[in-house]
Amino acid sequence: MATPTTRNSLGDQFKGILTAAQDGGEWAVAILYRWLHPAVVRYLRARAGDEAEDLASETWIAIARGLQNFSGDEVAFRSWVFTIAHRRLIDHHRASSRRPRTR
C-alpha cells in the first residue's frame, strides 16, 4: 500500500494532517511538503528553468506563513499552493524584466 506522501491524494487523512500542521506539527508539515513539493518544482521548472528550486523555497515560506489562515479541503489546498507558486513565478518574471541584460 502506498504511503500518503507517494500518492497524488492524501484522501481521508488530509483534514487531520492539515489540522496538525496548523497546530505546529512538524511531521504534518513534512507530509504536506513531500506530497506537493515535487509537483510544485515541476510546475516552476517548466516556466522558470534553473530558478525553480529558489522559487519553490519562496513558495513554501509563503505557505508556512499563511497555513494558519487556510481553510478548505484537499483540492482547495492544492489550488492555494499552486496559486502561491504562480504568484512567485510572476514576481520572478517581473523582477527579471527590470534587470539590465548583460552580453
Side-chain angles (χ1 to χ4, degrees), residues 28-40:
V29 174
I31 287 173
L32 294 173
Y33 178 85
R34 287 192 307 263
W35 169 49
L36 286 177
H37 182 70
V40 168

Side-chain angles (χ1 to χ4, degrees), residues 14-52:
F14 174 76
K15 184 173 170 105
I17 292 168
L18 176 64
T19 300
Q22 290 174 323
D23 290 341
E26 291 180 23
W27 64 270
V29 174
I31 287 173
L32 294 173
Y33 178 85
R34 287 192 307 263
W35 169 49
L36 286 177
H37 182 70
V40 168
V41 171
R42 280 192 305 274
Y43 169 78
L44 293 169
R45 184 160 320 218
R47 289 154 182 84
D50 293 338
E51 303 295 323

Side-chain angles (χ1 to χ4, degrees), residues 1 11-12 14 17 26 40 45 53 61 64 67 76 89 91-92:
M1 182 173 148
D12 295 337
F14 174 76
I17 292 168
E26 291 180 23
V40 168
R45 184 160 320 218
E53 289 291 341
I61 290 169
L67 191 59
L89 181 65
D91 292 345
H92 167 73

